[in-house]
């Protein structure tokens, strides 16, 4: 039929097989192949048609690489019409993940069967899109409006069992051989005279949707949209499924899909999809690097961080030993882990016996000799270089040869830590983000002497514990924290120049950050930055610099943990509230410094907070700290809640134009001084040549 779609008749059933690795995405060739197979089957001796896939999964969606390029016939709607209008029943046989356009293909079939481990879903929203091949019209017709809305706006797939309960599939096949099971299911349908069931023929009674349902959904989704525009349009499509006939609903869906596929938001989210996969690839590492076996892990330090990291490993079945200095500290650490799991049990997301199983994987000790047999150690004690060096010297003494020795440090020099051992090739940084069992990012820090297989193994283990890994070289703060410097500084400078905390934070939250920088400071603890500044000799002697942060700490306002910082916090709800005391102080302090306060608009707030971050990113790139600009985007989206709909700071900079960013940097340099506003040479070079960071990546073979 074609090199990606084949057709044969098995036991009177026409079997269409898609074989287009890695995920059988609906490329032009696959669409064409399915269309000709289904068309050919109309005139042959087959009694029904089974649509199945080879390889690891059923069709996982449209081919994302085709978006933004001129459309190529046949379009997906044409393929779906051919299936739906087939004179013989078409049955989708699902394994792996039937996602997006793949699931929509199955919804155009007359029946769907799946193996128990299969999942189905419409994840388009995660790419800034909506299902564009009838998903928004067909799912509400069979699963109901509310279930459809939840499924399509969350983008989360459901298991075969759940899908069966929702009516999204008709049969779970118990036969290990899906093709044989599906052929038998097709024969049974034919034998029982099952009709050509078309989802399009179902109508939804508008009276079954409670008044105000769609408005309420829009409001709820807007509150958590963070710059994404797809969720609102998904609501419009589902509304159309209720109010309009099928073909009109499909037209509406297509129109809104087309709007989204050309939007900068979707371009940004598709960039993140590919950047996430690219970040896992280390440019200069041989593909055939043999990985070390990681069967048991030790965590040094039973604090919040150590406990969270231990949970990550236990969650994927890897036994963990937690090491603490005293038995009391150890019991406290193990107790926190138990409490965290219990909360998940209370929420109904974990069964009691599963929790016991997980806790059974986590043991504790106060004796380093007990970790002689582990394959990987992650040190997670507080930030003190001398202490970390002592610990690594001790680990060098007890750990077996070949064990990977990692530090979870956020700032310290991995090479100095490695030098405390006689095996620096086994040492690297694995920087988790708090809470470690929740946050997706893992910065993998490559020391001067880190061995290739240590890096490759760490990237693989990061993926196994379900983290998104990004590689960094050694520098103060690595990629993420190093870039935060100017962002935090300017958020406070703006207060002195005319803003109040709510204004700064709402501008950044309006942009899509999960939390504004000042509220973030309150959450992390203002004393943390205060203490870090005490030890620094490189900061300019400027009374304006971090003035409010310093004064607040000295007043005992350390942020959320003391109930007050830039904001005050409702003791019951922990909601942040503007504090007139702080607002008054801000105005007084500006006056003391003879600063004439002025109106500052959101555009300036965004530029002053985000452009220093981007500028530092450019320095990080030219110094070779990050492999590529898209890795920096991954660090920010997964570690610092930068909005995916903006694609990360470097993609955002490409979008607004590097010339604009550079010009603004120069404008602020002339206003506020070069000690704060010094454009990176790479930013200048790209701005002058009219290039983007993405082009720079490409020219270096990094993308
Ligand atoms: N189009 C093109 N390439 C795709 C793709 C797609 N839909 N889905 C995955 N790939 C590529 C990946 O980029 C990766 O390429 P690489 O090896 O060069 O890095 C390769 O396939 C393997 O992907 P993963 O590394 O993600 O493999 P996993 O096994 O971890 O995950 C998966 C498999 C669950 C299918 C995951 O790839 C996934 O979630 N894919 C995206 C699914 C999706 O979003 N579908 C909707 C697309 S939009 C759509 O269908 C519009 C329609 O409504 C009209």
């Amino acid at each position: 039929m074609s090199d990606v779609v084949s057709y044969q008749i098995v036991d009177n059933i026409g079997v269409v097989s898609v074989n287009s690795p890695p995920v059988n995405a609906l490329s032009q060739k696959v669409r064409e192949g399915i269309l000709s197979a289904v068309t050919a089957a109309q005139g042959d001796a087959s009694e029904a048609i089974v649509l199945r896939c080879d390889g690891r999964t059923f069709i996982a969606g449209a081919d994302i690489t085709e978006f933004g390029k001129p459309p190529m016939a046949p379009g997906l709607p044409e393929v779906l019409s051919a299936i739906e209008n087939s004179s013989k029943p078409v049955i989708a046989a699902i394994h792996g993940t039937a996602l997006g356009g793949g699931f929509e293909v199955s919804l155009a079939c007359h029946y769907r069967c799946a193996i128990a481990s299969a999942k189905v879903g419409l994840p388009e929203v995660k790419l800034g899109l909506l299902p564009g091949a009838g998903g928004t019209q067909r799912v509400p017709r069979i699963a109901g409006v509310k279930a459809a809305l939840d499924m399509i706006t969350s983008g989360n797939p459901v298991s075969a069992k759940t899908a069966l309960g929702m009516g999204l599939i008709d049969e779970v096949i118990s036969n290990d051989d899906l093709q044989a099971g599906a052929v038998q299911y097709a024969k049974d349908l034919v034998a029982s005279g099952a009709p050509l069931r078309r989802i399009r023929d179902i109508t939804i009674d508008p009276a079954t949707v409670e008044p105000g349902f769609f408005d309420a959904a829009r409001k709820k989704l807007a509150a958590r949209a963070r710059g994404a525009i797809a969720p609102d349009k998904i609501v419009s499509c589902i509304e159309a499924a209720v109010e309009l006939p099928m073909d009109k609903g499909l037209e509406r869906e297509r129109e809104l899909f087309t709007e989204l596929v050309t939007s900068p938001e979707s371009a940004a989210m598709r960039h993140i999809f590919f950047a996430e996969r690219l970040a896992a690839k280390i440019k200069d590492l041989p593909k055939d690097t043999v990985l070390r076996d990681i069967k048991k892990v030790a965590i040094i330090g039973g604090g919040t961080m150590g406990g969270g990291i231990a949970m990550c490993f236990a969650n994927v079945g890897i036994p963990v030993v937690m090491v603490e200095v005293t038995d009391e500290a150890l019991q406290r650490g193990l107790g926190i882990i138990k409490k965290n799991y219990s909360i998940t049990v209370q929420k109904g997301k974990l069964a009691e016996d599963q929790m016991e199983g997980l806790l059974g994987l986590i043991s504790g000790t106060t004796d380093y000799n007990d970790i002689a047999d582990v394959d990987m150690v992650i040190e997670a004690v507080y930030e003190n270089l001398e202490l970390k060096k002592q610990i690594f010297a001790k680990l060098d003494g007890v750990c077996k040869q070949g064990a990977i020795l990692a530090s979870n440090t956020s700032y310290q020099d991995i090479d100095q830590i490695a030098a405390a051992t006689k095996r620096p090739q086994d040492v690297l940084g694995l920087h988790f983000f708090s809470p470690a069992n929740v946050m997706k990012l893992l910065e993998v820090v490559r020391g001067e002497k880190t061995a290739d297989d240590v890096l490759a193994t760490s990237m693989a283990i990061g993926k196994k514990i379900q983290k998104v890994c990004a590689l960094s070289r050694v520098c103060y703060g690595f990629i993420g924290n190093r870039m935060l410097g100017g962002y935090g500084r300017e958020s406070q400078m703006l207060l002195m120049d005319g803003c109040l905390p709510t204004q700064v934070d709402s501008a950044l939250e309006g942009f899509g950050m999960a939390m504004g920088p000042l509220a973030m400071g309150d959450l992390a603890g203002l004393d943390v930055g205060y203490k870090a500044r005490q030890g620094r000799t490189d900061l300019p002697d400027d009374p304006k610099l971090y003035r409010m942060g310093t004064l607040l700490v000295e007043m005992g306002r350390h942020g959320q943990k003391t109930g007050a910082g830039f904001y005050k916090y409702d003791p019951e709800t922990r909601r942040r509230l503007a504090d007139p005391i702080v607002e008054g102080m801000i105005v007084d302090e500006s006056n003391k410094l003879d600063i004439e306060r002025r109106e500052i608009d959101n555009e300036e707030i965004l530029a002053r907070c985000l452009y220093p971050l981007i500028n530092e990113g450019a320095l990080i790139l030219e110094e070779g700290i990050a492999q590529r600009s898209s890795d920096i985007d991954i660090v920010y989206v997964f570690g610092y809640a930068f909005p995916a709909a903006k694609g990360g700071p470097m993609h955002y900079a490409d979008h607004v134009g590097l010339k604009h960013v550079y010009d603004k940097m120069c404008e602020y340099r002339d206003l506020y001084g070069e000690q704060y506003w010094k454009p990176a040479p790479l930013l200048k070079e790209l701005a002058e040549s009219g290039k983007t960071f993405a082009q720079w990546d490409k020219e270096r073979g990094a993308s």
Side-chain angles (χ1 to χ4, degrees):
M1 197 105 284
S2 82
D3 55 349
V4 291
V5 180
S6 60
Y7 176 72
Q8 57 174 328
I9 297 184
V10 180
D11 217 358
N12 291 339
I13 302 296
V15 177
V16 180
S17 299
V18 180
N19 184 4
S20 181
V23 296
N24 293 314
L26 288 160
S27 62
Q28 186 273 339
K29 274 186 153 187
V30 171
R31 296 194 300 271
E32 189 175 58
I34 298 177
L35 181 61
S36 30
V38 172
T39 310
Q42 302 306 307
D44 68 18
S46 61
E47 294 174 329
I49 303 164
V50 164
L51 173 61
R52 60 169 293 279
C53 293
D54 288 334
R56 66 207 226 211
T57 180
F58 191 79
I59 302 164
D63 185 340
I64 306 168
T65 59
E66 282 185 4
F67 294 153
K69 296 183 186 156
M72 286 179 287
L76 195 49
E78 195 185 330
V79 181
L80 266 57
S81 289
I83 294 174
E84 199 168 45
N85 294 325
S86 163
S87 56
K88 306 168 183 185
V90 185
I91 297 111
I94 300 171
H95 76 290
T97 42
L99 299 177
F103 183 43
E104 290 172 299
V105 166
S106 80
L107 290 170
C109 295
H110 305 101
Y111 296 90
R112 286 155 295 285
C113 64
I115 53 170
S117 59
K119 287 185 176 170
V120 301
L122 294 167
E124 285 87 343
V125 70
K126 297 184 183 180
L127 298 170
L129 297 171
L130 53 82
T136 65
Q137 304 305 297
R138 291 192 176 89
V139 173
R141 279 177 163 77
I142 36 178
V145 167
K146 184 173 178 318
L149 193 87
D150 289 347
M151 182 180 208
I152 305 175
T153 56
S154 75
N156 295 332
V158 297
S159 67
K161 191 172 156 211
T162 308
L164 184 71
M166 293 167 80
L168 293 171
I169 61 169
D170 306 291
E171 182 83 4
V172 175
I173 301 284
S174 49
N175 192 333
D176 285 345
D177 179 345
L178 174 61
Q179 177 173 319
V183 166
Q184 187 54 52
Y185 177 55
K187 286 173 78 70
D188 293 347
L189 286 170
V190 172
S192 66
L196 286 173
R197 227 182 37 181
R198 303 190 314 168
I199 296 174
R200 67 155 52 235
D201 297 334
I202 302 169
T203 35
I204 304 170
D205 176 2
T208 58
V209 182
E210 57 184 86
F213 173 81
F214 291 113
D215 285 344
R218 279 202 173 87
K219 235 187 221 161
K220 202 166 141 196
L221 290 164
R224 49 170 207 245
R226 300 190 48 215
I229 57 170
D232 188 74
K233 297 197 188 314
I234 290 170
V235 179
S236 299
C237 287
I238 298 181
E239 211 169 5
V242 178
E243 287 169 0
L244 303 176
M246 182 75 178
D247 285 327
K248 288 280 170 215
L250 286 177
E251 260 174 43
R252 182 92 182 106
E253 182 193 76
R254 191 90 316 237
E255 182 192 321
L256 294 178
F257 178 83
T258 310
E259 259 179 47
L260 287 176
V261 87
T262 49
S263 69
E265 287 80 4
S266 176
M269 291 170 94
R270 283 170 357 231
H271 160 74
I272 290 299
F273 177 85
F274 289 114
E276 178 183 341
R277 281 144 186 90
L278 194 59
K281 296 176 180 132
I282 301 180
K283 278 194 287 181
D284 58 338
L285 223 58
K287 279 215 167 62
D288 54 357
T289 307
V290 179
L291 304 187
R292 298 188 189 181
D293 225 5
I294 307 294
K295 292 206 187 97
K296 191 174 177 189
V297 173
I299 311 289
I300 313 294
T304 315
M305 202 40 140
I309 300 172
M311 289 170 77
C312 294
F313 284 94
N315 291 347
V316 297
I318 299 178
V320 196
V321 191
M322 185 183 263
V323 185
E324 255 300 352
V325 186
T326 63
D327 196 48
E328 194 193 344
L330 181 62
Q331 293 315 322
R332 198 171 42 236
L334 294 172
I336 293 172
I337 294 176
K338 187 163 183 191
K339 197 170 139 213
N340 284 340
Y341 278 133
S342 306
I343 294 171
T344 318
V345 170
Q346 278 159 24
K347 285 185 187 158
K349 291 184 180 163
L350 185 73
E352 189 85 36
D353 60 336
Q354 282 174 316
M355 173 175 85
E356 291 310 324
L358 292 170
L359 289 172
L361 287 169
I362 304 174
S363 59
T365 183
T366 52
D367 183 355
Y368 272 64
N369 290 312
D370 290 344
I371 60 166
D373 63 336
V374 302
D375 307 297
M376 178 179 243
V377 183
I378 301 174
E379 163 276 309
V381 304
Y382 62 91
E383 292 292 354
N384 178 309
L385 184 60
E386 282 318 306
L387 175 65
K388 287 181 192 276
K389 281 170 51 182
Q390 279 169 24
I391 289 173
F392 273 74
K394 215 163 167 182
L395 292 173
D396 194 18
V398 293
C399 290
K400 69 178 184 192
Q401 285 307 308
I404 294 178
L405 308 180
S407 172
N408 174 52
T409 180
S410 313
Y411 293 98
Q412 309 294 345
D413 184 339
I414 295 295
D415 293 325
Q416 285 197 47
I417 294 174
T421 72
K422 288 189 279 308
R423 38 174 133 169
Q425 74 281 0
D426 293 337
V427 178
L428 85 168
L430 288 180
H431 181 209
F432 289 77
F433 287 70
S434 191
N437 51 318
V438 176
M439 292 296 287
K440 293 286 285 177
L441 181 68
L442 178 63
E443 263 182 330
V444 175
V445 187
R446 178 183 205 165
E448 200 59 51
K449 298 194 171 148
T450 308
D452 284 355
D453 63 342
V454 168
L455 268 185
T457 305
S458 300
M459 296 300 271
I461 203 84
K463 185 168 184 194
K464 181 157 190 184
I465 60 172
Q466 285 158 20
K467 299 293 172 202
V468 177
C469 299
L471 186 71
S472 174
R473 286 273 186 189
V474 177
C475 67
Y476 184 80
F478 314 127
I479 297 174
N481 283 340
R482 173 171 160 183
M483 284 170 65
L484 270 188
Y487 178 69
R489 179 199 75 219
E490 282 308 307
S491 68
Q492 292 200 33
M493 289 293 200
L494 283 160
L495 299 179
M496 294 293 94
D497 290 334
C499 291
L500 293 176
T502 41
Q503 197 192 345
V504 175
D505 283 340
S506 352
L508 270 310
E509 286 161 11
F511 172 79
M513 299 297 290
M515 205 183 243
L518 300 168
M520 192 67 201
D522 274 0
L523 178 69
L526 300 179
D527 54 322
V528 179
Y530 180 88
K531 275 189 212 133
R533 290 196 291 278
Q534 304 294 300
R536 285 180 65 179
T537 49
D538 58 327
L539 292 176
D541 183 17
D542 176 357
K544 191 178 167 191
L545 182 62
Y546 300 112
R547 190 173 183 94
M548 282 308 297
T550 302
L551 287 173
L552 291 172
V553 171
E554 287 168 358
M555 288 165 71
R557 299 179 68 122
H558 293 189
Q560 282 198 27
K561 59 189 166 192
T562 57
F566 285 106
Y567 298 92
K568 57 184 177 184
Y569 292 85
D570 183 307
E572 302 255 299
T573 61
R574 293 169 99 189
R575 258 192 54 203
R576 78 178 194 229
L577 303 163
D579 190 341
I581 297 176
V582 176
E583 295 184 350
M585 261 176 80
I586 289 172
V587 176
D588 288 349
E589 294 305 316
S590 296
N591 290 340
K592 280 187 207 159
L593 296 179
D594 282 334
I595 296 171
E596 198 175 319
R597 293 179 66 79
R598 61 185 169 87
E599 284 284 317
I600 297 181
D601 61 15
N602 282 356
E603 202 184 319
E604 178 176 343
I605 297 174
L606 292 183
R608 282 181 58 185
C609 291
L610 296 175
Y611 293 0
L613 194 128
I614 292 161
N615 192 56
E616 199 66 37
L619 286 172
I620 279 174
L621 270 184
E622 60 187 86
E623 288 169 23
I625 300 294
Q627 298 191 92
R628 41 181 98 84
S629 69
S630 63
D631 284 9
I632 298 179
D633 290 332
I634 288 305
V635 167
Y636 263 77
V637 167
F638 291 100
Y640 297 83
F642 196 97
K646 296 287 192 297
M650 310 312 271
H651 177 89
Y652 173 68
D654 281 351
H655 175 68
V656 295
L658 298 190
K659 168 123 185 25
H660 171 77
V661 177
Y662 174 71
D663 288 347
K664 278 285 171 193
M665 288 289 301
C666 295
E667 185 185 320
Y668 294 131
R669 175 195 58 202
D670 298 343
L671 272 172
Y672 300 114
E674 199 169 43
Q675 74 270 40
Y676 302 129
W677 295 92
K678 191 171 177 190
L682 178 63
L683 179 64
K684 181 170 191 273
E685 180 195 317
L686 295 177
E688 284 172 353
S689 61
K691 287 188 181 156
T692 59
F693 286 124
Q695 281 169 325
W696 191 79
D697 282 352
K698 205 169 257 168
E699 282 170 10
R700 267 149 200 79
S703 60

